[in-house]
Amino acid sequence: MMKTIKQLVWGLGAAVLLAGCDQETTLHSGLPEQQANLVMAALLDSGIACHKSPGEEGTWNVTVVESRFADAVNILGKAGLPRRDYQGIGEVFKKTGMISSPSEERIRFMDALAQDLSRTIAGIDGVVDARVHVVLPENDPFARNSLPSSAAVAIRSRWDADLTDIVPSVKGLVKNAIEGLQYEKIMVTIFRDSPPKR
């Protein structure tokens, strides 16, 4: 009888200890469901158990075991997840007052254009993240010489993706999206991630 009680106490103690070891912590919260699914897929592919639970206002939270938290953060950092929340032209062009100055409208337009292009390029296979910087000089319509528009594209690629072949296509995409932009005024730079440590 005494032996059975000791075994029971030992078993309960071990269960509590294991439960403490398996305690989960929130890795990301407030994610749209698609982003939460992408985060989970990347973690599960790397052998890290995770769970998704409903958050506030239709968002989702992703949790992992505390002992794998650092691994999970590193894996998601390499994968560029969760992806940046790009704003579209409609969101950027929201007016806060009755009247916007021409300068405000111009800044909003350039920012919206850059974000739309960034989102499109970030969706290309092998691209982890992309940023587009657009320069549209405010030229005087009566001036004899005008400054040309230009654009710079920074692409972060997966370590195993060679994206040099898509540079002309990216330049063509940016050129056709920005009125009056010349092909030679577009610079595309690719930064490849380091391979994972074995």
Side-chain angles (χ1 to χ4, degrees), residues 151-186:
V153 183
I155 295 174
R156 180 182 161 205
S157 74
R158 287 198 323 256
W159 68 274
D160 58 348
D162 184 4
L163 301 182
T164 51
D165 289 344
I166 72 162
V167 170
S169 298
V170 169
K171 283 187 163 188
L173 174 72
V174 175
K175 176 186 179 295
N176 291 325
I178 301 174
E179 186 179 2
L181 180 61
Q182 297 175 359
Y183 187 86
E184 59 272 13
K185 290 293 181 181
I186 305 167

Side-chain angles (χ1 to χ4, degrees), residues 17 30 35 65 84 106 109 127-128 137 144 158 162 173 189:
L17 185 63
Q35 291 290 336
V65 175
R84 232 165 10 106
R106 185 175 187 76
F109 176 73
V127 175
V128 175
R144 179 173 290 181
R158 287 198 323 256
D162 184 4
L173 174 72
T189 307

